[in-house]
Amino acid sequence: MRKGEEFLSERNRAEDILLGGLGYAEDASIVSIQRGAEGFKGIGKFSDGVEFEFSCDDELDELQQWALVVFLK
């Protein structure tokens, strides 16, 4: 994949949906993620290498459910 097309990948779109919905910037990525009772939780990393924990306890909409499936397959 060419560098300019990286943002179009399914995984990158899913990452933007899940982390963007929680207020994380574009330089954040998902290291690990797991489904919770209602939402999800996981560990992310910023482009400078700093790791952080994230979670969403809300019921997921269809788009968030799709994005979570992308990471769990």
Side-chain angles (χ1 to χ4, degrees), residues 24-44:
Y24 290 98
E26 293 176 2
D27 71 331
S29 61
I30 294 174
V31 174
S32 65
I33 191 167
Q34 59 188 28
R35 185 181 300 270
E38 289 288 326
F40 57 88
K41 64 180 179 177
I43 298 173

Side-chain angles (χ1 to χ4, degrees), residues 7-26:
F7 75 97
L8 296 175
S9 79
E10 186 176 67
R11 186 173 172 92
N12 281 351
R13 287 184 292 157
E15 197 166 60
D16 287 346
I17 290 164
L18 296 172
L19 291 180
L22 296 174
Y24 290 98
E26 293 176 2

Side-chain angles (χ1 to χ4, degrees), residues 34-70:
Q34 59 188 28
R35 185 181 300 270
E38 289 288 326
F40 57 88
K41 64 180 179 177
I43 298 173
K45 185 189 297 189
F46 291 109
S47 59
D48 64 2
V50 174
E51 290 191 354
F52 60 92
E53 292 183 11
F54 61 87
S55 66
C56 174
D57 296 325
D58 299 331
E59 186 175 337
L60 303 180
D61 64 25
E62 287 184 34
L63 194 55
Q64 290 170 315
Q65 290 177 27
W66 169 83
L68 189 56
V69 167
V70 167

